[in-house]
Amino acid sequence: MTGRIIETHDDVAEGAAHLAAVCPRMAQAYAQTGALPLRRSEDGFTRLLSAIVSQQVSVASANAIWGRVEAAGYADPQTIRAVSDDDLRSVGLSRQKARYARALAEAEIDYAALRDAPDDEVIATLTEVSGIGVWTAEIYAMFSLGRADVFAPGDLALQEAARILYDLPERPKPRAFREMSLAWSPWRSVAARLLWAYYRVAKDREGIR
């Protein structure tokens, strides 16, 4: 079972209203952020390649590199397989990310089948590909597949937003943060949207591309 799928702004608003009703801190954050973004995107190879580009760099850097990747026409698996590592590095991919891009291009992922797969199966399938970790798979499940109850506890911006909002002594570690997120089920991906939006308010910078 895939559970609830987020398709529209109304879905996000429904989830945000639920979170505000069950948690005063979430209500406080929502009052500061206002309406949350939908953040739905296409699924498939290009979206996962974009997520790989975004790993461990700032939002601004990720946007700049992805712009060069698209301008060079390197956003499809056939082209990635055909070009050299030097070509990939010329648009800003590190040696490691160039290797990850090739691994993704050579993986035989059935993207259409993932749309109907359970969340844990989506994560397991994607993380079999070199360079796709749990964070990348979770982001894909949230935004490309619209899963309403997926969270990304390893995300540093989410950790920092939670630290500030809940007055924690330090950023929650991923395992503890995942446990904490269970209180926001079945709208954990909306909780993530809310925390990213709150991060932008609290830190005056974007936490997610």
Side-chain angles (χ1 to χ4, degrees):
M1 296 291 291
T2 61
R4 181 71 179 267
I5 302 296
I6 293 175
E7 300 281 8
T8 68
H9 287 283
D10 287 343
D11 295 328
V12 176
E14 180 184 344
H18 169 85
L19 294 167
V22 301
C23 177
R25 297 295 180 102
M26 284 288 184
Q28 172 190 328
Y30 194 31
Q32 294 183 57
T33 65
L36 303 176
L38 177 59
R39 288 193 178 278
R40 275 304 304 267
S41 60
E42 76 286 349
D43 64 342
F45 174 87
T46 300
R47 184 59 190 171
L48 274 175
L49 181 62
S50 174
I52 288 172
V53 166
S54 298
Q55 292 172 357
Q56 299 181 322
V57 296
S58 70
V59 173
S61 294
N63 284 337
I65 295 169
W66 183 246
R68 293 197 292 272
V69 169
E70 288 192 307
Y74 294 169
D76 65 85
Q78 295 81 9
T79 303
I80 292 292
R81 290 195 295 265
V83 300
S84 69
D85 284 352
D86 286 342
D87 290 329
L88 295 176
R89 296 187 69 189
S90 73
V91 296
L93 295 185
S94 66
R95 188 181 304 277
Q96 184 179 53
K97 287 187 178 180
R99 186 170 70 251
Y100 293 163
R102 289 197 187 284
L104 179 61
E106 293 166 1
E108 296 182 355
I109 297 174
D110 186 341
Y111 293 104
L114 289 182
R115 296 169 190 165
D116 298 316
D119 296 340
D120 57 353
E121 184 177 325
V122 171
I123 305 301
T125 297
L126 295 181
T127 53
E128 288 179 355
V129 181
S130 179
I132 298 181
V134 173
W135 177 86
T136 301
E138 288 164 340
I139 297 301
Y140 184 87
M142 274 193 252
F143 298 151
S144 294
L145 300 180
R147 303 303 172 85
D149 200 30
V150 173
F151 197 68
D155 187 274
L156 294 180
L158 292 182
Q159 293 173 7
E160 178 67 4
R163 182 192 69 79
I164 297 169
L165 181 61
Y166 288 88
D167 295 322
L168 303 176
E170 61 182 8
R171 293 175 181 170
K173 300 296 190 294
R175 179 174 295 182
F177 201 15
R178 190 177 296 281
E179 288 294 318
M180 181 179 177
S181 76
L182 295 177
W184 306 322
S185 185
W187 292 103
R188 284 183 290 171
S189 72
V190 177
R193 287 167 169 83
L194 180 51
L195 288 171
W196 275 312
Y198 182 73
Y199 179 89
R200 178 170 47 80
V201 170
K203 307 290 286 189
D204 194 29
R205 63 176 183 266
E206 295 294 335
I208 185 73
R209 178 167 172 262

